[in-house]
Coordinates of all heavy atoms in Angstrom, one line a residue:
D12 N -18.5 -15.2 61.7 CA -18.7 -16.4 62.4 C -17.7 -16.5 63.6 O -17.9 -17.4 64.4 CB -18.6 -17.6 61.5 CG -17.2 -17.8 60.9 OD1 -16.6 -16.8 60.6 OD2 -16.8 -19.0 60.8
C13 N -16.8 -15.6 63.7 CA -15.8 -15.7 64.8 C -16.2 -14.7 65.9 O -15.5 -14.6 66.9 CB -14.4 -15.3 64.3 SG -13.8 -16.5 63.2
E14 N -17.3 -14.0 65.8 CA -17.7 -13.0 66.8 C -17.8 -13.7 68.2 O -17.4 -13.1 69.2 CB -19.0 -12.4 66.4 CG -19.5 -11.3 67.4 CD -20.7 -10.6 66.9 OE1 -21.2 -10.8 65.8 OE2 -21.2 -9.8 67.7
E15 N -18.4 -14.9 68.2 CA -18.6 -15.5 69.5 C -17.2 -15.8 70.2 O -17.1 -15.5 71.4 CB -19.3 -16.9 69.3 CG -19.5 -17.6 70.6 CD -20.2 -19.0 70.4 OE1 -21.0 -19.1 69.4 OE2 -19.9 -19.9 71.1
K16 N -16.2 -16.2 69.5 CA -14.9 -16.4 70.1 C -14.2 -15.1 70.5 O -13.6 -15.1 71.6 CB -13.9 -17.1 69.0 CG -14.3 -18.5 68.7 CD -13.9 -19.4 69.9 CE -14.1 -20.8 69.5 NZ -13.8 -21.7 70.6
I17 N -14.4 -14.0 69.8 CA -13.9 -12.8 70.2 C -14.6 -12.3 71.5 O -13.9 -11.8 72.4 CB -14.0 -11.7 69.0 CG1 -13.1 -12.2 67.9 CG2 -13.7 -10.3 69.5 CD1 -13.4 -11.4 66.6
V18 N -15.9 -12.4 71.5 CA -16.6 -11.9 72.7 C -16.3 -12.7 73.9 O -16.2 -12.2 75.0 CB -18.2 -11.9 72.4 CG1 -19.0 -11.7 73.6 CG2 -18.5 -10.9 71.3
E19 N -16.0 -14.0 73.8 CA -15.8 -14.9 74.9 C -14.3 -14.8 75.4 O -14.0 -15.4 76.4 CB -16.2 -16.3 74.7 CG -15.3 -17.1 73.9 CD -15.7 -18.6 73.7 OE1 -16.9 -18.9 73.8 OE2 -14.8 -19.4 73.5
L20 N -13.5 -14.0 74.8 CA -12.1 -13.9 75.2 C -12.0 -13.5 76.7 O -11.2 -13.9 77.4 CB -11.4 -12.8 74.4 CG -10.7 -13.3 73.1 CD1 -10.2 -12.1 72.4 CD2 -9.6 -14.2 73.4
N21 N -13.0 -12.7 77.2 CA -12.9 -12.2 78.6 C -13.5 -13.2 79.6 O -13.5 -13.0 80.8 CB -13.6 -10.9 78.8 CG -15.1 -10.9 78.5 OD1 -15.6 -11.9 78.2 ND2 -15.7 -9.8 78.7
K22 N -13.9 -14.4 79.1 CA -14.5 -15.4 80.0 C -13.6 -16.6 80.1 O -14.0 -17.7 80.6 CB -15.8 -15.9 79.4 CG -16.8 -14.7 79.3 CD -18.1 -15.2 78.7 CE -19.0 -14.0 78.5 NZ -20.1 -14.2 77.6
R23 N -12.3 -16.5 79.7 CA -11.5 -17.7 79.6 C -10.4 -17.8 80.7 O -9.5 -18.7 80.6 CB -10.7 -17.6 78.2 CG -11.6 -17.6 77.0 CD -12.0 -18.9 76.6 NE -10.9 -19.8 76.5 CZ -10.9 -21.0 76.1 NH1 -12.0 -21.6 75.8 NH2 -9.8 -21.7 76.0
Y24 N -10.5 -17.0 81.7 CA -9.3 -16.9 82.6 C -9.7 -17.4 84.0 O -10.8 -17.1 84.5 CB -8.8 -15.4 82.6 CG -8.4 -15.0 81.2 CD1 -9.3 -14.3 80.5 CD2 -7.2 -15.5 80.7 CE1 -9.0 -13.9 79.2 CE2 -6.9 -15.1 79.4 CZ -7.8 -14.4 78.6 OH -7.5 -14.1 77.3
N25 N -8.7 -18.1 84.6 CA -8.9 -18.7 85.9 C -7.7 -18.2 86.8 O -6.6 -17.9 86.4 CB -8.8 -20.2 85.8 CG -9.9 -20.8 85.0 OD1 -11.0 -20.3 85.0 ND2 -9.6 -21.8 84.3
Q26 N -8.0 -18.3 88.1 CA -6.9 -18.1 89.1 C -6.2 -19.4 89.2 O -6.6 -20.5 88.7 CB -7.5 -17.7 90.5 CG -8.2 -16.4 90.4 CD -8.7 -16.0 91.8 OE1 -8.1 -16.3 92.8 NE2 -9.7 -15.2 91.8
K27 N -5.1 -19.4 89.9 CA -4.2 -20.7 90.1 C -5.0 -21.8 90.7 O -4.8 -23.0 90.3 CB -3.0 -20.4 90.9 CG -2.0 -19.6 90.2 CD -0.7 -19.4 91.1 CE 0.3 -18.5 90.4 NZ 1.5 -18.3 91.1
N28 N -6.0 -21.5 91.5 CA -6.8 -22.5 92.2 C -7.9 -23.1 91.2 O -8.7 -23.9 91.6 CB -7.4 -22.1 93.5 CG -8.4 -21.0 93.3 OD1 -8.8 -20.6 92.2 ND2 -8.8 -20.4 94.5
G29 N -8.0 -22.5 90.0 CA -9.0 -22.9 89.1 C -10.3 -22.1 89.0 O -11.1 -22.3 88.2
S30 N -10.5 -21.3 90.0 CA -11.7 -20.5 90.0 C -11.7 -19.4 89.0 O -10.6 -18.8 88.7 CB -12.0 -19.9 91.4 OG -10.9 -19.0 91.7
K31 N -12.8 -19.1 88.4 CA -12.9 -18.1 87.3 C -12.6 -16.7 87.8 O -12.9 -16.4 89.0 CB -14.3 -18.1 86.7 CG -14.7 -19.3 85.9 CD -14.1 -19.3 84.6 CE -14.5 -20.5 83.8 NZ -13.6 -20.7 82.7
I32 N -12.0 -15.9 87.0 CA -11.7 -14.5 87.3 C -12.6 -13.7 86.4 O -12.7 -13.9 85.2 CB -10.3 -14.1 86.9 CG1 -9.3 -14.9 87.8 CG2 -10.0 -12.6 87.2 CD1 -7.8 -14.7 87.4
D33 N -13.3 -12.7 86.9 CA -14.1 -11.8 86.1 C -13.3 -10.7 85.6 O -12.9 -9.8 86.4 CB -15.3 -11.2 87.0 CG -16.2 -10.3 86.2 OD1 -16.0 -10.2 84.9 OD2 -17.0 -9.6 86.8
V34 N -12.9 -10.7 84.3 CA -12.1 -9.7 83.7 C -12.9 -8.9 82.7 O -12.3 -8.3 81.8 CB -10.8 -10.3 83.1 CG1 -9.9 -10.9 84.1 CG2 -11.2 -11.3 82.0
S35 N -14.2 -8.9 82.8 CA -15.0 -8.2 81.8 C -14.7 -6.7 81.7 O -14.9 -6.1 80.7 CB -16.5 -8.5 82.1 OG -16.8 -8.1 83.4
D36 N -14.3 -6.1 82.8 CA -14.0 -4.7 82.8 C -12.6 -4.4 82.2 O -12.3 -3.2 82.0 CB -14.1 -4.1 84.2 CG -13.2 -4.7 85.2 OD1 -12.7 -5.9 85.0 OD2 -12.8 -4.1 86.2
V37 N -11.8 -5.4 81.9 CA -10.5 -5.3 81.3 C -10.6 -5.2 79.8 O -9.7 -4.6 79.1 CB -9.6 -6.5 81.7 CG1 -8.3 -6.5 81.0 CG2 -9.4 -6.5 83.2
F38 N -11.6 -5.7 79.2 CA -11.8 -5.8 77.7 C -12.8 -4.7 77.3 O -13.9 -4.7 77.7 CB -12.3 -7.1 77.3 CG -11.3 -8.2 77.4 CD1 -11.1 -8.9 78.6 CD2 -10.6 -8.6 76.2 CE1 -10.2 -9.9 78.6 CE2 -9.6 -9.6 76.3 CZ -9.4 -10.3 77.5
L39 N -12.4 -3.8 76.4 CA -13.3 -2.9 75.8 C -14.0 -3.7 74.7 O -13.5 -4.7 74.2 CB -12.6 -1.7 75.2 CG -11.9 -0.8 76.2 CD1 -11.2 0.3 75.5 CD2 -12.9 -0.2 77.2
P40 N -15.2 -3.3 74.3 CA -15.9 -4.0 73.2 C -15.0 -4.0 72.0 O -14.4 -3.0 71.7 CB -17.2 -3.1 73.0 CG -17.4 -2.4 74.3 CD -16.0 -2.1 74.9
P41 N -15.0 -5.1 71.3 CA -14.2 -5.2 70.1 C -14.6 -4.2 69.1 O -15.8 -3.9 68.9 CB -14.4 -6.6 69.6 CG -15.1 -7.4 70.7 CD -15.7 -6.4 71.6
M42 N -13.7 -3.6 68.3 CA -14.0 -2.7 67.3 C -13.7 -3.3 65.9 O -12.6 -3.8 65.7 CB -13.1 -1.4 67.4 CG -13.4 -0.6 68.6 SD -12.3 0.9 68.7 CE -12.3 1.5 67.1
I43 N -14.7 -3.4 65.1 CA -14.5 -3.9 63.7 C -14.3 -2.7 62.9 O -15.0 -1.8 62.9 CB -15.8 -4.7 63.2 CG1 -16.0 -5.9 64.2 CG2 -15.6 -5.1 61.8 CD1 -17.3 -6.6 63.9
K44 N -13.1 -2.7 62.2 CA -12.7 -1.5 61.4 C -12.5 -1.9 60.0 O -11.9 -3.0 59.7 CB -11.3 -1.0 61.9 CG -11.5 -0.3 63.3 CD -10.2 0.5 63.6 CE -9.8 1.6 62.7 NZ -10.2 2.9 63.2
P45 N -12.9 -1.1 59.1 CA -12.6 -1.3 57.6 C -11.1 -1.4 57.4 O -10.4 -0.6 58.0 CB -13.2 -0.1 56.9 CG -14.2 0.5 57.9 CD -13.7 0.2 59.2
F46 N -10.7 -2.3 56.6 CA -9.3 -2.5 56.3 C -9.1 -3.0 54.9 O -9.6 -4.1 54.6 CB -8.6 -3.4 57.3 CG -7.1 -3.5 57.2 CD1 -6.3 -2.5 57.8 CD2 -6.5 -4.5 56.5 CE1 -4.9 -2.6 57.6 CE2 -5.2 -4.6 56.3 CZ -4.3 -3.7 56.9
L47 N -8.5 -2.2 54.0 CA -8.4 -2.6 52.6 C -9.8 -3.0 52.1 O -10.7 -2.2 52.2 CB -7.3 -3.6 52.4 CG -5.9 -3.2 52.9 CD1 -4.9 -4.4 52.7 CD2 -5.4 -2.0 52.1
D48 N -9.9 -4.2 51.6 CA -11.2 -4.6 51.0 C -12.0 -5.4 51.9 O -12.9 -6.2 51.5 CB -10.9 -5.4 49.7 CG -10.1 -6.7 49.9 OD1 -9.5 -6.8 51.0 OD2 -10.0 -7.5 49.0
G49 N -11.7 -5.4 53.2 CA -12.5 -6.1 54.2 C -12.5 -5.4 55.5 O -12.6 -4.2 55.6
N50 N -12.3 -6.2 56.6 CA -12.3 -5.6 58.0 C -11.2 -6.3 58.8 O -10.7 -7.4 58.4 CB -13.6 -5.9 58.6 CG -14.7 -5.1 58.0 OD1 -14.7 -3.9 57.9 ND2 -15.7 -5.8 57.4
I51 N -10.9 -5.7 59.9 CA -10.1 -6.3 61.0 C -10.8 -6.0 62.3 O -11.7 -5.2 62.3 CB -8.6 -5.7 61.0 CG1 -8.7 -4.2 61.2 CG2 -7.8 -6.1 59.8 CD1 -7.4 -3.5 61.5
V52 N -10.3 -6.6 63.3 CA -10.9 -6.4 64.7 C -9.7 -5.8 65.6 O -8.6 -6.4 65.6 CB -11.4 -7.7 65.3 CG1 -11.9 -7.4 66.7 CG2 -12.5 -8.2 64.4
L53 N -10.1 -4.8 66.3 CA -9.2 -4.2 67.3 C -9.7 -4.6 68.7 O -10.9 -4.3 68.9 CB -9.0 -2.7 67.2 CG -8.5 -2.2 65.9 CD1 -8.4 -0.7 66.0 CD2 -7.1 -2.8 65.6
L54 N -9.0 -5.3 69.5 CA -9.4 -5.6 70.8 C -8.5 -5.0 71.8 O -7.3 -5.4 71.9 CB -9.4 -7.2 71.0 CG -9.9 -7.7 72.3 CD1 -11.4 -7.4 72.4 CD2 -9.7 -9.2 72.3
Y55 N -9.0 -4.0 72.6 CA -8.2 -3.3 73.6 C -8.3 -4.1 74.9 O -9.4 -4.4 75.4 CB -8.8 -1.9 73.7 CG -8.5 -1.0 72.5 CD1 -9.4 -1.0 71.5 CD2 -7.4 -0.2 72.5 CE1 -9.2 -0.2 70.3 CE2 -7.2 0.6 71.4 CZ -8.0 0.6 70.3 OH -7.8 1.4 69.2
V56 N -7.2 -4.4 75.5 CA -7.1 -5.1 76.8 C -6.4 -4.3 77.8 O -5.2 -3.8 77.5 CB -6.4 -6.5 76.6 CG1 -6.4 -7.2 77.9 CG2 -7.0 -7.3 75.4
A57 N -7.0 -4.0 78.9 CA -6.4 -3.2 79.9 C -5.6 -4.0 80.9 O -5.8 -5.3 80.9 CB -7.4 -2.4 80.7

C-alpha cells in the first residue's frame, strides 16, 4: 500500500521559486528485495 508514496518520491521537488523540477531521471525504479521473512525497498538516487 506504500508503493504510490515510493513512486511519487521523484515528483516532490521544487525550485526556490516554487516551480516543479523534473528529477525523474535521478531515481532508478525502486527495487523490492527479499529480506528475512519479508521485503525491503532499495531506492537509488543519483
Side-chain angles (χ1 to χ4, degrees):
D12 64 323
C13 295
E14 183 176 354
E15 181 181 325
K16 290 286 188 184
I17 293 168
V18 170
E19 78 176 25
L20 272 171
N21 67 357
K22 299 175 184 163
R23 303 276 307 183
Y24 303 98
N25 300 323
Q26 295 184 30
K27 286 182 182 180
N28 66 7
S30 63
K31 292 279 184 199
I32 300 173
D33 179 12
V34 295
S35 55
D36 58 337
V37 172
F38 288 83
L39 293 178
M42 290 178 51
I43 300 170
K44 288 189 66 100
F46 186 84
L47 299 176
D48 60 347
N50 295 297
I51 57 169
V52 175
L53 300 179
L54 185 62
Y55 292 85
V56 182

